[in-house]
Amino acid sequence: MAFNDRVVFNGQSVAVVVNGTVVGSDTSAGPTLLMSAVKTGTLSAQVTVDAETNTITLAARWQISQDEATWHNAVPSNNAANVVLATGTAGADAAVTKAVSAPSAVYGARFARVVIDVGVTNGTAVDSANVGYNYLLDALA
C-alpha cells in the first residue's frame, strides 16, 4: 500500500452539538475512534469551532476509554491546560480551524475522542463545532 493510501484526513468528521442542552462548563463529544488502526504518533484532530454567542468559549480536549462507556481525560505529558480555541463576541465571528495533536496517552487506549468544552455561558443555535481525525493507518492493522 502506497504511503498516501494510508493517510486519513478529517476521518469520521461530524458536527458536534454546542447548543440546546449544552450549558456553560459542559462538554459535547466528538466521534469515537478505534485506536487499533492508528499508527503511533500520527494522530491529530481537525477541529473547527464557530463561537458566536457573546462570551462563550469553545475548547477541545482529548479523552480515552477502554470500553466506550467510561472516559478519562488524556493530557499532555506536562499536564498543560487546554487552550480556548474561540471566544464569542456577539458579532460575526469567523470560524476557527485547528489541528489538535493527540497526547501520547491515547496510544495506550482502545478508544479515543475529542470533546468540545463549552464555557462561560450557554451555547445557542449560532454556535457550532466539527471534529474529524487525521492519522496514518497502521500497516499492521
Side-chain angles (χ1 to χ4, degrees), residues 8 20 56 64 92 108 113 115 136:
V8 176
I56 193 172
I64 59 172
R113 70 181 182 186
V115 297
L136 191 62

Side-chain angles (χ1 to χ4, degrees), residues 53-139:
T53 300
N54 194 36
T55 72
I56 193 172
T57 61
L58 301 175
R61 176 168 40 98
W62 281 95
Q63 292 186 326
I64 59 172
S65 176
Q66 301 302 335
D67 60 6
E68 283 188 282
T70 304
W71 292 91
H72 304 282
N73 293 332
V75 298
S77 60
N78 65 352
N79 200 28
N82 290 322
V83 177
V84 169
L85 299 176
T87 301
T89 63
D93 298 303
V96 175
T97 300
K98 300 279 184 176
V100 180
S101 295
S104 58
V106 302
Y107 301 105
R110 188 164 183 209
F111 302 98
R113 70 181 182 186
V114 165
V115 297
I116 302 299
D117 289 326
V118 179
V120 181
T121 191
N122 296 357
T124 66
V126 296
D127 303 305
S128 64
N130 190 287
V131 175
Y133 301 117
N134 305 320
Y135 56 94
L136 191 62
L137 287 170
D138 193 329

Side-chain angles (χ1 to χ4, degrees), residues 16-29 56 58 116-119 121-124:
V16 177
V17 175
V18 295
N19 63 53
T21 60
V22 177
V23 296
S25 301
D26 204 350
T27 62
S28 292
I56 193 172
L58 301 175
I116 302 299
D117 289 326
V118 179
T121 191
N122 296 357
T124 66

